[in-house]
Amino acid sequence: MNAYISQFWWLKLPDNNHILQFYPDDDVLIRYLQEFIYPGLAGDDSCVIIANPAHIMMLDKRLVSKGIDLNKVRQKGRYITADARETLNKFMRNHMPDRKLFSKTITALLDRV
């Protein structure tokens, strides 16, 4: 099976859908994320990434290599990154997400963009 099927296939999905993406290694994950995020950041869209610090660093490098000025988009509040573990700790209780805490946590992130 080709792990890299088609660029931007997810852009053809209707709004408000969820995507579950399996990936064989970190490079494939970061390539998919970069392809998804780059067009928005190159335009006027905003993006929130919740990931582990290593993945955020890898993604940042790919975006910079494509010409995205991360300082500029961050200052404008168009590119928000959050540590996955820290974010999960804000709303997970007894190994389950707490609905109110989840809403509060994610709303706070989305309000920033």
Side-chain angles (χ1 to χ4, degrees):
M1 184 172 119
N2 185 353
Y4 188 66
I5 298 170
S6 172
Q7 290 185 335
F8 309 117
W9 60 268
W10 51 82
L11 296 177
K12 296 178 178 113
L13 294 172
D15 289 342
N16 299 320
N17 271 345
H18 292 83
I19 299 171
L20 173 61
Q21 175 68 52
F22 292 98
Y23 55 94
D25 58 49
D26 288 351
D27 290 332
V28 172
L29 167 68
I30 300 306
R31 184 172 50 200
Y32 279 140
L33 283 174
Q34 177 258 304
E35 288 179 357
F36 183 71
I37 294 162
Y38 173 78
L41 292 179
D44 289 327
D45 290 331
S46 299
C47 177
V48 175
I49 299 294
I50 303 170
N52 71 48
H55 287 159
I56 291 170
M57 186 170 34
M58 291 170 69
L59 178 59
D60 286 356
K61 286 180 182 178
R62 286 192 69 104
L63 291 170
V64 167
S65 76
K66 295 285 285 182
I68 298 295
D69 183 340
L70 290 182
N71 290 328
K72 183 178 176 181
V73 293
R74 279 190 170 113
Q75 286 176 342
K76 290 184 174 185
R78 294 183 45 231
Y79 182 57
I80 307 295
T81 58
D83 181 282
R85 184 177 309 276
E86 291 174 9
T87 303
L88 284 169
N89 286 340
K90 291 179 182 179
F91 63 80
M92 295 296 287
R93 298 297 178 263
N94 298 317
H95 306 290
M96 294 293 295
D98 177 283
R99 182 182 298 266
K100 288 180 184 178
L101 293 174
F102 174 85
S103 180
K104 179 181 176 183
T105 302
I106 301 305
T107 298
L109 284 170
L110 295 177
D111 282 347
R112 293 173 52 194
V113 292

